[in-house]
């Protein structure tokens, strides 16, 4: 396995750094305070190809690999993890689901709009009473002639208000039946399809999170992705790839927090010398650097397996679990290194800390990752 960044990755990293310096960094605190979702920023990202990183060029995408995708998410998240989260959710969930399971006709209809940022995508699986237990969902889809009537609600949905299209998993069979759920693509403006309460969150505040509501929403049969009854199985496969996204997001947060802590430790003078010269601080930095390196290797190993078409459920869960727990730990230590200043909004580490916690929850909690990993290693 080649551990060096290829030329494309280096070019992407530099491109995002330049873009973020101009378009993201000056607005981070304002977006965070007001919980503003900057739609126009994502249009600009779309123009650069970052809203369709994995989408083939045939459908208007960049046609890059998961390694480049990790670079995109990581570099954005070093500056603002909330923007990194939204780019990840758009690419890996909504766009990724359509790319993997839609017909060619459906791909031609939706992917070019998503890949260029003309449309922003949402993905609806989670409900109020069914988080990890997705099979117990209450949202139903009942066949009525040439359409399905959807009723119910999804919550904690990224881009639920601003999204132009949502991939929604609804129950078409018995509750708890893994083959009793179906995936539908529902466009904004469809009668009976609305958004609800916007969540007031601890972190990731510039990434919009709200409800999707379906009230006798009529969705034509041609909007079914794949076959009836395949929705849950499709979702689990989408989440396999999605875990790489969250690992990359976590990696960006960890690196951003670490770099801020390293800089501060070298500049902060106490007892006549930089605090980095004290073992209590230097050992923290050593641990942070090592765990970031391990997270990066796990994440790219998962990406390599995904690119080769190999089963990567276990390594993906490992990467997501380890990288997300690492970013929380690194962000916490970064605040400790900053001391009292780390607890203020004058320094970036308090935001990295608030943003980091989502990574251990979203797209499968740490506990669920352990279930996935243990099930696989015991089976093997």
């Amino acid at each position: 396995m080649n551990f060096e960044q290829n030329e494309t990755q280096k070019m992407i990293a530099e491109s995002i750094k330049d873009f973020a310096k101009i378009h993201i960094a000056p607005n981070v605190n304002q977006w965070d305070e007001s919980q503003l979702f900057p739609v126009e920023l994502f249009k600009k990202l779309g123009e650069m190809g970052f809203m369709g990183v994995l989408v083939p060029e045939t459908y208007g995408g960049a046609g890059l690999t998961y390694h480049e995708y990790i670079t995109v998410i990581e570099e954005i998240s070093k500056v603002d993890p909330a923007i990194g989260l939204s780019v990840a959710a758009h690419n890996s969930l909504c766009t990724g689901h359509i790319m993997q399971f839609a017909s060619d006709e459906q791909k031609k209809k939706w992917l070019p709009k998503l890949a260029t940022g003309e449309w922003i995508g949402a993905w609806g699986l989670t409900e109020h009473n069914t988080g990890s237990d997705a099979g117990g969902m209450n949202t139903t889809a009942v066949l009525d002639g040439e359409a399905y009537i959807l009723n119910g609600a999804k919550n904690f949905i990224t881009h639920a208000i601003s999204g132009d299209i949502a991939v929604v998993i609804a129950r078409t069979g018995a509750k708890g039946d893994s083959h009793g759920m179906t995936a539908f693509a529902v466009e904004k403006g469809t009668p009976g399809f609305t958004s609800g309460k916007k969540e007031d969150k601890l972190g990731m505040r510039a990434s919009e999170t709200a409800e999707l509501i379906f009230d006798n929403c009529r969705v034509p049969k041609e909007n079914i992705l794949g076959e009836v009854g395949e929705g849950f199985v499709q979702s689990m496969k989408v989440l396999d790839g999605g875990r790489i996204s969250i690992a990359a997001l976590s990696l960006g947060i960890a690196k951003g927090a670490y770099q801020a802590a390293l800089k501060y430790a070298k500049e902060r003078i106490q007892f006549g010398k930089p605090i980095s010269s004290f073992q209590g601080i230097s050992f923290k930095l050593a641990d942070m650097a090592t765990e970031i390196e391990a997270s990066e290797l796990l994440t790219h190993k998962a990406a390599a397996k995904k690119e080769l078409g190999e089963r990567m459920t276990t390594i993906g869960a490992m990467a997501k679990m380890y990288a997300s727990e690492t970013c929380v730990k690194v962000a916490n230590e970064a605040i400790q290194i900053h001391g009292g200043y780390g607890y203020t909004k004058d320094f970036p580490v308090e935001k990295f800390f608030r943003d980091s916690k989502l990574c251990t929850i979203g797209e499968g909690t740490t506990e669920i990752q352990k279930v996935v990993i243990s099930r696989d290693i015991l089976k093997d």
Side-chain angles (χ1 to χ4, degrees), residues 6 81 90 158 254 290 326 343:
N6 60 39
H90 172 92
T158 306
T290 303
T326 292
Y343 205 66

Side-chain angles (χ1 to χ4, degrees), residues 315-350:
I315 193 68
M318 287 176 173
K320 195 273 186 190
M321 179 184 75
Y322 189 84
S324 64
E325 291 293 339
T326 292
C327 82
V328 173
K329 189 186 300 183
V330 168
N332 182 51
E333 290 288 46
I335 289 180
Q336 194 70 18
I337 288 170
H338 279 72
Y341 291 110
Y343 205 66
T344 72
K345 291 183 182 289
D346 294 330
F347 288 81
V349 290
E350 69 85 28

Side-chain angles (χ1 to χ4, degrees), residues 145-158:
E146 292 302 305
Y148 278 81
I149 310 300
L150 271 62
N151 280 289
K154 300 288 180 177
N155 78 324
F156 297 139
I157 308 303
T158 306

Side-chain angles (χ1 to χ4, degrees), residues 8-20 71 75:
T8 305
Q9 287 171 270
K10 290 176 183 176
M11 183 180 71
I12 287 170
E14 287 305 313
S15 175
I16 292 175
K17 283 175 186 174
D18 292 342
F19 179 89
T71 301
E75 291 296 333

Side-chain angles (χ1 to χ4, degrees), residues 108-366:
K108 287 176 181 175
K109 182 179 180 181
W110 294 313
L111 283 181
K113 293 178 180 178
L114 289 163
T116 57
E118 179 185 346
W119 278 14
I120 291 172
W123 192 75
L125 178 66
T126 301
E127 297 183 5
H128 291 276
N129 297 313
T130 57
S132 299
D133 180 21
M137 68 175 59
N138 293 313
T139 298
T140 57
V142 178
L143 183 61
D144 180 33
E146 292 302 305
Y148 278 81
I149 310 300
L150 271 62
N151 280 289
K154 300 288 180 177
N155 78 324
F156 297 139
I157 308 303
T158 306
H159 311 147
I161 297 169
S162 300
D164 298 282
I165 185 171
V167 173
V168 180
I169 317 303
R171 189 159 54 80
T172 48
K175 186 178 285 192
D177 179 5
S178 62
H179 294 284
M181 288 159 274
T182 302
F184 298 86
V186 189
E187 294 183 19
K188 192 173 190 175
T190 303
F193 177 37
T194 57
S195 53
K197 174 176 171 275
K198 184 176 181 179
E199 303 295 341
D200 189 7
K201 299 178 297 182
L202 168 72
M204 301 290 192
R205 290 171 61 81
S207 179
E208 178 185 278
T209 306
E211 291 178 307
L212 292 177
I213 300 169
F214 304 92
D215 183 8
N216 291 320
C217 176
R218 191 176 184 85
V219 181
K221 287 165 71 173
E222 57 261 32
N223 282 30
I224 290 173
L225 301 176
E227 300 296 326
V228 172
E230 290 184 349
F232 181 78
V233 176
Q234 290 176 5
S235 297
M236 294 305 103
K237 291 177 180 177
V238 168
L239 287 172
D240 266 359
R243 287 175 186 136
I244 295 174
S245 296
I246 302 301
L249 173 63
S250 302
L251 190 58
I253 294 172
K255 285 187 177 183
Y258 166 74
Q259 288 166 4
L262 184 65
K263 180 176 182 289
Y264 184 84
K266 288 178 177 179
E267 295 173 352
R268 174 67 167 170
I269 305 297
Q270 292 287 272
F271 306 102
K273 51 188 174 180
I275 62 171
S276 58
S277 65
F278 296 106
Q279 191 178 82
I281 299 299
S282 64
F283 277 19
K284 285 182 187 296
L285 293 166
D287 286 340
M288 292 157 80
T290 303
E291 290 174 6
I292 288 170
E293 191 75 15
S295 298
E296 189 160 26
L297 291 170
L298 272 170
T299 304
H300 279 284
K301 183 173 181 180
K305 282 187 170 290
K306 182 73 174 173
E307 282 298 317
L308 291 169
E310 296 178 6
R311 187 174 184 275
M312 42 71 63
T313 301
T314 308
I315 193 68
M318 287 176 173
K320 195 273 186 190
M321 179 184 75
Y322 189 84
S324 64
E325 291 293 339
T326 292
C327 82
V328 173
K329 189 186 300 183
V330 168
N332 182 51
E333 290 288 46
I335 289 180
Q336 194 70 18
I337 288 170
H338 279 72
Y341 291 110
Y343 205 66
T344 72
K345 291 183 182 289
D346 294 330
F347 288 81
V349 290
E350 69 85 28
K351 183 177 182 298
F352 282 124
F353 181 66
R354 287 187 290 110
D355 288 345
S356 69
K357 191 56 196 166
L358 183 278
C359 297
T360 68
I361 299 169
E363 294 194 38
T365 62
T366 293

